[in-house]
Amino acid sequence: MDNCLFCRIARGEIPSRQVYADDDLFAFHDINPARPLHVLVIPRRHITSLATSTEADTLVLGRMLAVANQLATENGSPDGFRVIINTGRIGQQEVQHLHAHIVGGPDPVGPMLKRV
Ligand code: 5GP
Ligand code: ZN
């Protein structure tokens, strides 16, 4: 995915404030943070969304969650955090490269969603 924004960030072609990287994952601060901690964890390999992920992505999906606690603890949210994965049109996903938002900080993050 030559022109995918998050593929380009993971390759270092577009600058970001990196907080974690390994062979499979890349994590960086959201450019427009919603909470004092707001990082995005992405697979380096392009996956469009949870809706298009397959059985072959199981390991990397698990690893995205497995690093969340470490990222939160190291970046100012040691007492918990929230993971959000917006998916597709209904989930109002804006960037079409799978990403988990890790949000937190010193204070509770607020209600999960407005109830209908
Ligand atoms: P979505 O709505 O797709 O779940 O979230 C996309 C997130 O990516 C948004 O929170 C937005 O602020 C963030 N974002 C969009 N473009 C960039 C960028 O160029 N750099 C960084 N660091 N974050 C971005
Ligand atoms: Zn991509």
Side-chain angles (χ1 to χ4, degrees):
M1 294 298 276
D2 287 357
N3 261 328
C4 167
L5 174 63
F6 284 180
C7 282
R8 297 193 67 194
I9 285 177
R11 288 197 296 262
E13 294 170 10
I14 292 175
S16 69
R17 290 170 58 213
Q18 177 185 327
V19 294
Y20 179 84
D22 64 28
D23 286 350
D24 303 318
L25 302 179
F26 191 83
F28 53 103
H29 287 279
D30 195 291
I31 204 165
N32 185 20
R35 290 292 181 276
L37 167 72
H38 189 166
V39 302
L40 303 173
V41 184
I42 66 173
R44 284 187 182 275
R45 183 167 54 79
H46 183 86
I47 300 170
T48 301
S49 85
L50 267 191
T52 64
S53 67
T54 70
E55 192 76 23
D57 304 317
T58 302
L59 191 62
V60 81
L61 289 172
R63 293 215 57 251
M64 287 169 66
L65 296 179
V67 301
N69 189 48
Q70 179 192 335
L71 294 182
T73 301
E74 289 174 356
N75 292 279
S77 197
D79 296 329
F81 52 89
R82 184 172 294 164
V83 178
I84 301 167
I85 304 180
N86 296 324
T87 302
R89 181 177 69 87
I90 300 299
Q92 297 187 290
Q93 178 180 357
E94 285 172 10
V95 176
Q96 303 306 312
H97 179 128
L98 174 67
H99 51 281
H101 298 253
I102 316 290
V103 292
D107 303 315
V109 297
M112 190 173 69
L113 287 174
K114 255 193 188 150
R115 295 189 187 276
V116 289

